[in-house]
Amino acid sequence: MQDGTRAGLVRPPVESPYLRPRRLRRTPALRELVAETTLRAGQLVLPVFVREGADAPVPISSMPGVVQHTRDSLRAAAVEAAELGLGGIMLFGVPTSKDAVGSGAVDPDGVLNAAIADVAAEVGDALPVMADLCLDEFTDHGHCGVLDTAGRVDNDATLEVYAEMARAQAAAGAAVLGPSGMMDGQVAVIRDALDGVGATDVAIMAYSAKYASAFYGPFREAVDSSLVGDRRTYQQDARNALEGVREAQLDVAEGADLVMVKPALAYLDVVRRVRDAVDVPVAAYNISGEYAMVEAAAANGWIDREAAIMETLVSIRRAGADVVLTYWAAEAARLLR
């Protein structure tokens, strides 16, 4: 039996394809011309940690390349972020002492509020200064709110502290507040608190769809977390997508200027659903565990690190995020140049 025949059948000649999508992939310039998703420095926000009393940056072992900053090194990082054209810098505080009600969070001289003032004075309006508005870094039990007598997070008592925290962060110079505690009604209470002191220009980027995730592990090292138990009674169940959309819609109704999905990579479907459901900008947080996985694989030579970073960030943008919080923000901005 000759080639091209089997059981008496003759294979028809292959016709030359008329439609050739590969034409537009042939050169880098053509690929750039038809790229559907953009990635630029101004869409990226750099999360940073500042450690109270530190006299040198402290490396975070589970997040290679990320440190707990001193106040001086934080100012330098903020200047670099502004020069790179980043969309913002998100500050997290690491205090030396904690208590049951997170009193350091509302102290004007506490590590986070002092850092906000430092960075705002350093960069002015050249870089939006954003602040995490949550109690978990400041409580000795590690929860995002105050506890009742039964050891449960008390939603409404926590809201009172959030309002005070919002006023303190606005007074320190924050341009954007990021309430991340997933307390019901938090956006409305924070908006009222801000407006009540004349801080009507301070924006709220609500952590609207924040899921109870296994990928937060390295972050807990980054903030020296004291968490006892878990946060499943207030953070969202990973099995629920519609709930994430509803949370985002509620936050928009309460006055959120931006809404966020966190984590990003395991919840790209939620990012897309939220983007389709709301009429405000949508952020997504490329979190510590996602960062650590890429860094670990790259360190073992299993993947091309820089290519993986850019592919990861593009995927989050492609899913619908207008803003991406990522520990690679500064490096990605340099690569984009």
Side-chain angles (χ1 to χ4, degrees), residues 44-244:
L44 306 176
V45 172
L46 178 66
V48 292
F49 309 97
V50 56
R51 185 180 186 91
E52 186 174 15
D55 55 11
V58 179
I60 300 167
S61 64
S62 56
M63 299 175 68
V66 181
V67 301
Q68 294 173 334
H69 281 284
T70 68
R71 289 175 65 176
D72 286 341
S73 69
L74 174 62
R75 282 190 285 262
V79 169
E80 179 190 43
E83 291 173 345
L84 288 169
L86 295 186
I89 186 168
M90 174 65 78
L91 308 185
F92 296 86
V94 185
T96 54
S97 62
K98 307 177 184 184
D99 58 31
V101 296
S103 57
V106 300
D107 181 355
D109 297 319
V111 59
L112 181 54
N113 293 320
I116 293 169
D118 286 345
V119 175
E122 194 73 33
V123 300
D125 291 333
L127 179 73
V129 180
M130 307 176 177
D132 180 58
L133 198 162
C134 194
L135 291 178
D136 59 320
E137 295 108 285
F138 298 92
T139 55
D140 54 14
H141 46 73
H143 280 286
C144 298
V146 297
L147 305 183
D148 63 19
T149 55
R152 300 168 299 196
V153 175
D154 187 324
N155 190 95
D156 294 3
T158 298
L159 294 181
E160 295 179 15
V161 183
Y162 283 3
E164 188 177 356
M165 195 173 179
R167 289 188 287 265
Q169 293 184 348
V176 181
L177 306 188
S180 60
M182 290 297 290
M183 297 297 116
D184 293 340
Q186 63 184 16
V187 171
V189 165
I190 291 167
R191 186 73 270 162
D192 287 347
L194 292 171
D195 292 354
V197 294
T200 56
D201 289 339
V202 176
I204 297 174
M205 180 166 64
Y207 288 56
S208 300
K210 183 177 180 181
Y211 287 84
S213 173
F215 294 106
Y216 295 140
F219 179 89
R220 290 175 183 161
E221 178 192 354
V223 297
D224 291 359
S225 175
S226 305
L227 181 63
V228 177
D230 59 49
R231 300 185 175 123
R232 296 184 182 277
T233 62
Y234 47 102
Q235 293 180 351
Q236 286 184 242
D237 190 316
R239 297 170 292 183
N240 297 347
L242 291 177
E243 182 184 24

